[in-house]
């Protein structure tokens, strides 16, 4: 049997700390490895597979579009691109869309748009205030935007024009705002940073401050968008409307795509200002359209909210039994379980052996982001595995304490 993991080491750049598993097939919330072993997938391609693996709506849209037209240039009109844009606009507070291929690219576009706005309306202001512990992508500018030194240090000097301030502090944003500020860019909930949920009024306060100063509010909904937090877009929960929103991950349910949405007043690009060869290609847009339409018409967001509450209640009951769990937090199906020590990686490996895929978002925390279409039985099954693994952790801790 081919040793794919050995070949990976030989041929691929050493950028990912991978789990020791090679997945070859998926269906719904389940995946199979190259040895035929089955797993429940609570990573979901990192919050991408909103409809699960190989959903017929997605595979049909993909096959149908592939048979008629895969790629055109943006020198011509493209029907799937226009249809997806229309559906996004009809279901959000925005007026215009630009399509690209990934989250980082969507955020790059958002920052370019804000800088252009600054040139036109804010005397050339170009600085963007972002939050510490945020994650906005891996391009050089987005590494500068991402307020985490571990992603920044290997690549200094970074592009200028980004100020990283404390998350969930309106005072920090106020203190950093100056004549050069054109925008504030935030995640509605910090995903990669550990599923950090801000205080209820935070986004409202930021919105008011941006209005007072005439600067733009960019919301990065790459992880929180497309129903993930139990509502189509997380901004709808916080009672505000951003000027610009970025999407990627779940937008086409697993096919690469990114998008940047803006209110009319912020939509200041003109021909030649921005572009992308593959951005808005018929294939990803046709799948994006099918995915969003399915989400809207089949109660996917409602299921996410219900299953999210159910998952949180199961995790809460684990917390009441195990003293090394310190917090359960999340919204919809973006949930974290925080331990009192750095045991998350060990728990992920033990769960993997027992057939459950999980993510250690931090050394001390697990993240759950299963497909939004999962059912109660799948949550129960995952909880059964996790409970067994945590019971073993608990027994080991007791044994270690006894030895000491
Ligand atoms: C909030 C947020 N923004 C941006 C990105 C970057 O997206 P991509 O990896 O598609 O470039 C991510 C990826 O995890 C994300 O969670």
């Amino acid at each position: 049997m081919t040793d794919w993991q050995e070949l990976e080491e030989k041929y691929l750049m050493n950028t990912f700390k991978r789990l020791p598993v090679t997945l070859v097939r998926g269906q719904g919330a389940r995946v199979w490895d190259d040895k035929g072993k089955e797993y429940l997938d609570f990573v979901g391609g990192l919050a991408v597979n909103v409809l699960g693996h190989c959903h017929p709506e997605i595979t049909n849209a993909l096959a149908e579009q592939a048979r008629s037209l895969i790629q055109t240039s943006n020198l011509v009109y493209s029907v799937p691109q226009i249809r997806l844009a229309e559906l996004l606009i009809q279901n959000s507070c925005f007026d215009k869309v630009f399509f690209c291929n990934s989250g980082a690219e969507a955020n790059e576009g958002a920052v370019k748009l804000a800088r252009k706005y600054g040139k036109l309306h804010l005397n050339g202001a170009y600085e963007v205030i972002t939050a510490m512990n945020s994650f906005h992508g891996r391009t050089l500018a987005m590494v500068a935007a991402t307020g985490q030194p571990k992603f920044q240090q290997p690549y200094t000097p970074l592009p200028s024009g980004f100020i990283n301030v404390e998350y969930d502090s309106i005072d920090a944003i106020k203190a950093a705002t100056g004549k050069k500020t054109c925008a504030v860019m935030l995640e509605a909930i910090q995903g990669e940073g550990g599923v950090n949920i801000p205080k209820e009024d935070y986004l409202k306060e930021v919105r008011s401050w941006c209005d007072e100063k005439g600067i733009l509010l960019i919301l990065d909904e790459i992880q929180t968008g497309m129903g993930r937090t139990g509502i189509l877009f997380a901004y709808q929960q916080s009672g505000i409307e951003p000027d610009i929103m970025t999407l990627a991950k779940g937008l086409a349910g697993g096919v690469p795509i990114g998008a940047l949405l803006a209110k009319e007043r912020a939509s200041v690009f003109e021909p030649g200002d921005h572009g992308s060869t593959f951005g808005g290609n018929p294939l990803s847009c046709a799948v994006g359209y099918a995915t969003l339409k399915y989400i809207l018409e089949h109660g996917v967001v409602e299921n996410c909210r219900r299953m999210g509450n159910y998952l949180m209640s199961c995790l809460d009951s684990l917390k009441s039994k195990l003293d090394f769990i310190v917090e359960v937090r999340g919204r919809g199906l973006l949930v974290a379980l925080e331990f009192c020590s750095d045991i998350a990686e060990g728990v992920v490996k033990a769960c993997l052996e027992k057939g459950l895929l999980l993510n250690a978002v931090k050394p001390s925390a697990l993240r759950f982001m299963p497909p939004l279409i999962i059912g109660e039985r799948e949550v129960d099954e995952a909880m059964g595995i996790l409970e067994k693994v945590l019971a073993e952790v608990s027994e080991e801790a007791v044994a270690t304490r006894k030895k000491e």
Side-chain angles (χ1 to χ4, degrees), residues 329-391:
R329 55 179 181 269
R331 286 240 180 90
L333 287 168
L334 182 58
V335 175
L337 183 74
E338 183 86 37
F339 300 114
C340 65
S341 59
D342 292 350
I343 58 167
E345 258 186 47
V347 171
V348 165
K349 285 201 177 124
C351 284
L352 183 75
E353 272 174 31
K354 291 184 166 33
L356 171 64
L357 269 174
L358 282 179
N359 166 250
V361 70
K362 294 198 304 187
S364 62
L366 298 175
R367 181 172 43 163
F368 304 77
M369 43 199 158
L372 310 186
I373 45 99
I374 51 157
E376 221 172 278
R377 273 175 50 196
E378 287 155 327
V379 174
D380 288 342
E381 205 181 312
M383 291 302 102
I385 295 174
L386 181 64
E387 191 162 2
K388 260 193 220 139
V389 167
L390 293 182

Side-chain angles (χ1 to χ4, degrees), residues 46 101-105 107 135-138 187 189-192 220-224 246 248-249 257 367:
L46 289 168
N101 312 286
S102 70
E105 244 187 273
N107 285 336
F135 189 82
H136 297 296
R138 301 287 198 154
E187 289 159 271
I189 293 172
Q190 289 187 330
E192 299 303 303
D220 174 342
E221 291 236 28
I222 285 158
Q223 187 151 157
T224 54
T246 52
K249 289 197 183 278
I257 190 169
R367 181 172 43 163

Side-chain angles (χ1 to χ4, degrees), residues 47-363:
V48 166
N49 302 115
V50 284
L51 302 187
H53 295 277
C54 296
H55 192 285
E57 207 69 31
I58 290 182
T59 50
N60 287 342
L62 195 52
E64 205 176 297
Q65 190 59 44
R67 274 193 292 267
S68 51
L69 189 65
I70 292 177
Q71 162 74 358
T72 62
S73 73
N74 275 308
L75 301 175
V76 298
Y77 293 88
S78 155
V79 177
Q81 189 180 117
I82 299 163
R83 289 177 83 201
L84 176 57
E86 184 183 33
L87 200 58
L88 282 168
I89 296 307
Q90 284 169 344
N91 288 283
S92 71
C93 66
F94 302 97
D95 302 298
K96 292 280 159 62
V97 186
F98 175 86
F99 288 112
C100 51
N101 312 286
S102 70
E105 244 187 273
N107 285 336
E108 286 271 346
V111 168
K112 282 176 75 177
L113 193 61
R115 283 194 176 196
K116 175 100 196 271
Y117 185 88
K119 281 228 176 345
L120 292 174
H121 302 299
L122 299 168
N123 298 315
Y126 61 91
E127 269 176 8
V128 177
I129 299 171
T130 65
M132 285 173 195
N133 235 344
S134 61
F135 189 82
H136 297 296
R138 301 287 198 154
T139 59
L140 260 190
M142 284 313 110
V143 163
T146 290
Q148 297 198 51
K150 69 177 178 199
F151 295 124
Q152 299 178 330
Q153 271 152 7
Y155 305 110
T156 53
L158 296 172
S160 58
F162 295 94
I163 302 180
N164 309 143
V165 304
E166 191 187 338
Y167 187 57
D168 202 10
S169 162
I170 184 63
D171 291 341
I173 288 177
K174 287 184 177 174
T177 308
K179 284 195 168 59
K180 291 185 209 149
T181 313
C182 68
V184 175
M185 179 160 91
L186 297 168
E187 289 159 271
I189 293 172
Q190 289 187 330
E192 299 303 303
V195 189
N196 306 320
I197 304 173
K199 287 186 285 293
E200 211 179 309
D201 282 344
Y202 176 57
L203 288 178
K204 274 198 190 128
E205 288 169 341
V206 178
R207 178 68 275 179
S208 305
W209 178 249
C210 289
D211 289 342
E212 195 179 321
K213 293 289 155 189
I215 58 180
L216 299 177
L217 174 57
I218 305 169
L219 223 52
D220 174 342
E221 291 236 28
I222 285 158
Q223 187 151 157
T224 54
M226 308 316 293
R228 173 65 48 191
T229 66
I231 195 159
L232 191 58
F233 303 114
Y235 78 80
Q236 295 165 326
Q237 223 155 25
S238 54
I240 59 128
E241 293 185 354
D243 302 294
I244 300 172
M245 173 174 80
T246 52
L247 295 174
K249 289 197 183 278
L251 178 54
V255 173
I257 190 169
L260 146 70
L261 291 83
K263 296 265 200 177
E264 193 68 59
R265 78 177 181 105
S267 182
V268 292
F269 281 152
E270 290 170 299
D273 279 348
H274 196 46
S276 164
T277 298
F278 289 122
N281 69 81
L283 198 66
S284 7
C285 286
V287 181
Y289 180 82
T291 305
L292 178 54
K293 208 156 168 2
Y294 190 90
I295 289 174
L296 293 170
E297 291 175 0
H298 290 82
V300 172
V301 174
E302 294 72 19
N303 187 67
C304 168
R305 206 176 312 139
R306 235 182 7 257
M307 286 304 110
N309 288 339
Y310 183 59
L311 172 64
M312 296 256 295
S313 72
C314 294
L315 293 173
D316 274 330
S317 98
L318 274 184
K319 176 174 173 278
S320 66
K321 286 187 255 175
L322 301 167
D323 61 0
F324 57 90
I325 298 177
V326 291
E327 193 185 9
V328 177
R329 55 179 181 269
R331 286 240 180 90
L333 287 168
L334 182 58
V335 175
L337 183 74
E338 183 86 37
F339 300 114
C340 65
S341 59
D342 292 350
I343 58 167
E345 258 186 47
V347 171
V348 165
K349 285 201 177 124
C351 284
L352 183 75
E353 272 174 31
K354 291 184 166 33
L356 171 64
L357 269 174
L358 282 179
N359 166 250
V361 70
K362 294 198 304 187

